[in-house]
Amino acid sequence: MNNKYLFKNILMILFTLHSSLLFAVDKVIIEKMPQDLQDFFEYADACEDWISDFDPRLEKTTYNIVENEIKENCSDIEHKLSTMKIKYKNNKDYSARLTVYDDTIIIYDEYKKTRMENKSN
């Protein structure tokens, strides 16, 4: 199976699991959470959205825009998630919601691996 299609399938599965778990994990309304958590959720969701838009066959300008957005929204995602988990480790509702974003790290790592494979070909 072609790596691009495998990568897209993995992304779709992880995104589906992520979305399902996000709504099932707890009943805490995001708008009532601290602002830094709201900002993190927005940042992480943007990371996933931009990665899902990535396609090496995009027109050059669009490709560059998507690549830049991925760098901007994903490059520090693991550190930000770790920081939020440490800060809110004593709040089970927040911790549960943050755990869902472990998938974002996996998605970003898969994207980076695929990018490296494409560059070497």
Side-chain angles (χ1 to χ4, degrees), residues 23-85:
F23 296 111
V25 168
D26 63 355
K27 303 219 186 300
V28 175
I29 299 172
I30 291 176
E31 290 82 22
K32 295 190 180 200
M33 291 183 178
Q35 188 62 48
D36 60 346
L37 271 177
Q38 292 180 47
D39 293 344
F40 172 77
F41 296 145
E42 187 175 320
Y43 178 82
D45 289 340
C47 173
E48 287 187 26
D49 288 345
W50 283 109
I51 289 174
S52 70
D53 288 343
F54 178 77
D55 184 337
R57 299 170 295 184
L58 290 169
E59 182 270 326
K60 185 176 173 83
T61 302
T62 306
Y63 177 90
N64 289 335
I65 290 169
V66 172
E67 282 274 288
N68 288 335
E69 290 296 330
I70 290 171
K71 285 178 189 173
E72 182 178 322
N73 288 286
C74 301
S75 62
D76 199 25
I77 192 73
E78 193 166 359
H79 178 261
K80 287 182 180 192
L81 177 59
S82 177
T83 301
M84 291 292 108
K85 283 183 172 183

Side-chain angles (χ1 to χ4, degrees), residues 14 18 40 44 48 77-78 81-82 85 95-109:
L14 288 174
H18 170 81
F40 172 77
E48 287 187 26
I77 192 73
E78 193 166 359
L81 177 59
S82 177
K85 283 183 172 183
S95 292
R97 187 170 293 272
L98 285 165
T99 299
V100 172
Y101 285 93
D102 290 339
D103 288 347
T104 305
I105 306 304
I106 295 168
I107 290 168
Y108 183 52
D109 287 344

